[in-house]
Amino acid sequence: MSTVDTAGRKAPRKPKPPPAARGISPLRVLGKVIVWLFTAFNVFVLYWLISASFKTPVEIFTQPFQLPRQWFVLGKPFRNFVYAWSQAGFGEAFLTTVLLVGASAIVTVAIAAPAAYALTRLGVRGSGPMTNFFAIGMGVPFQTVIIPLFVGMAKLNLTNSLIGLFLVYVALSLPFTVFLLTGFFRSLPDEMEEAAAIDGASPFRTFTSIMLPLARGGLITALTLNAIGLWNETLLSIVFLQDNAKFTLARALFTFYGAASYQSEYGGLIAGVTIVVLPMLVLYIVLARRIITGLTLGAGK
C-alpha cells in the first residue's frame, strides 16, 4: 500500500510503542530488584528496632529477630520506654525540639519563599548566578565550617543558647529550601500572575494572594523536609549546647547513650532511639504523597 493518499498527503506515521511494550529491559529489572531489596532491608531494620525496644537485654542478644515476650509476661510492656523517658530527660527535650524545629522550619520557609519567587518571577538581574550560588551552598558540608561558626557564635555569646542554635539551623537550611522552591515557583503557570498585573496588583500582592496559594504543595514539602532534617540533627546540638535543660532530643539521646551502655540498659537505649525516630517517620508516612508531588512538580521545568 502506498504511504500517500489520494489527496497527495503522506499518511501519518504509526506511533512508537511505549517502552514497556518493546520488551523487558535488564537495566530496569535490576533497578527494581535493588529498590525492593533496599526497601525490604529498611522494613526489616524498622521491625528489629521496634521489637527490640520492647525486649530485655537478654532477649535482644539471644532472640534478636523474635517477637518480645518477657516484659509482656511480667505485665510491663512499656518498661523500656518509661525508663528512657524518665532517665534521659526526654520530656523537656521533646518540647524543646518541637518548638525549636517548628520555629526553624517555619522561618526558613518564610524567608526562602519570597527569595525564590524574586529569583524566578520578577526578572531580577543576575537571578541565574544567584540561584547557582544557593545550589553551591547545598554542596558545602556544614562540618567544614563548624569550627569558624562556633568561634563566631562564641564572640556573639550565642553558644549554649537555643536562639543561637535556631539561627544556625535557619542559615544552614536556607540554600536547600531556596533551591527547592525556585524549581517549584518556576513550574507555576504565568496566566494568573499576568491577570493580576493587568488588574493593577503589586508584586507583593500577587505573591501573597495568588502565588503562595498555588505554591502550597511546594511550601508543605519544604517545611516537612526541613522539619525531618532538623529533628534528626545531632552534631550541631552537641557542639552548641552544654546545659541539660536546653538539650534537644538527639542531644539528650547522645548523653543517655553513655549511661544506658554503662548500666547495660540496651532495651531502654533502643526505646530512646525509637522515641526519637518514630515521630518523623509517622510524619513522612502521612505526608509522603504530598512530598513526592511537591518534588516532582518542582522539577517540572
Side-chain angles (χ1 to χ4, degrees):
M1 179 183 292
S2 174
T3 58
V4 180
D5 60 13
T6 57
R9 295 174 298 182
K10 291 184 179 181
R13 291 183 300 175
K14 293 182 178 180
K16 293 182 180 180
R22 299 176 189 173
I24 299 177
S25 171
L27 187 60
R28 176 173 293 184
V29 172
L30 178 62
K32 287 184 177 180
V33 170
I34 293 175
V35 169
W36 280 109
L37 286 176
F38 182 74
T39 303
F41 174 76
N42 281 278
V43 171
F44 174 76
V45 171
L46 180 62
Y47 159 76
W48 179 87
L49 177 69
I50 295 177
S51 63
S53 63
F54 290 94
K55 293 180 179 179
T56 63
V58 175
E59 286 180 299
I60 292 174
F61 290 103
T62 60
Q63 303 172 0
F65 307 123
Q66 298 182 15
L67 292 174
R69 181 175 180 274
Q70 188 167 343
W71 286 128
F72 286 86
V73 172
L74 296 176
K76 302 177 180 179
F78 298 102
R79 183 265 177 194
N80 290 334
F81 289 92
V82 174
Y83 176 83
W85 189 270
S86 59
Q87 296 298 317
F90 277 169
E92 189 173 358
F94 188 88
L95 179 61
T96 300
T97 304
V98 169
L99 295 177
L100 179 62
V101 170
S104 301
I106 292 172
V107 171
T108 300
V109 173
I111 296 174
Y117 176 73
L119 290 173
T120 55
R121 316 293 295 201
L122 297 183
V124 177
R125 179 178 297 179
S127 59
M130 282 191 286
T131 304
N132 295 333
F133 180 76
F134 280 104
I136 293 173
M138 292 171 52
V140 178
F142 71 86
Q143 293 87 348
T144 61
V145 299
I146 196 166
I147 294 178
L149 185 61
F150 180 84
V151 172
M153 298 292 285
K155 291 182 178 179
L156 297 174
N157 294 322
L158 290 175
T159 56
N160 196 29
S161 167
L162 292 177
I163 296 178
L165 188 60
F166 163 78
L167 294 176
V168 172
Y169 279 174
V170 172
L172 294 179
S173 302
L174 274 176
F176 164 76
T177 310
V178 171
F179 186 77
L180 173 66
L181 292 180
T182 50
F184 193 86
F185 276 113
R186 193 177 290 116
S187 69
L188 296 179
D190 300 329
E191 289 77 9
M192 297 185 68
E193 191 176 16
E194 293 172 354
I198 293 174
D199 291 339
S202 64
F204 179 78
R205 177 69 180 276
T206 302
F207 170 69
T208 56
S209 301
I210 296 176
M211 303 308 290
L212 274 184
L214 290 176
R216 181 176 58 182
L219 298 177
I220 293 177
T221 299
L223 190 68
T224 305
L225 293 179
N226 276 298
I228 292 174
L230 295 176
W231 182 277
N232 297 318
E233 194 284 318
T234 306
L235 179 58
L236 291 174
S237 59
I238 292 175
V239 172
F240 286 97
L241 298 179
Q242 289 82 41
D243 291 345
N244 293 350
K246 300 176 182 178
F247 280 179
T248 61
L249 270 177
R251 181 68 174 89
L253 178 63
F254 181 81
T255 303
F256 178 58
Y257 169 77
S261 300
Y262 180 77
Q263 298 174 6
S264 299
E265 280 287 351
Y266 298 107
L269 178 60
I270 297 176
V273 175
T274 305
I275 292 173
V276 175
V277 170
L278 278 186
M280 290 300 105
L281 179 63
V282 172
L283 177 65
Y284 183 82
I285 292 174
V286 171
L287 299 177
R289 179 172 297 181
R290 186 178 292 274
I291 293 172
I292 295 172
T293 302
L295 290 174
T296 53
L297 284 176
K301 290 187 180 180

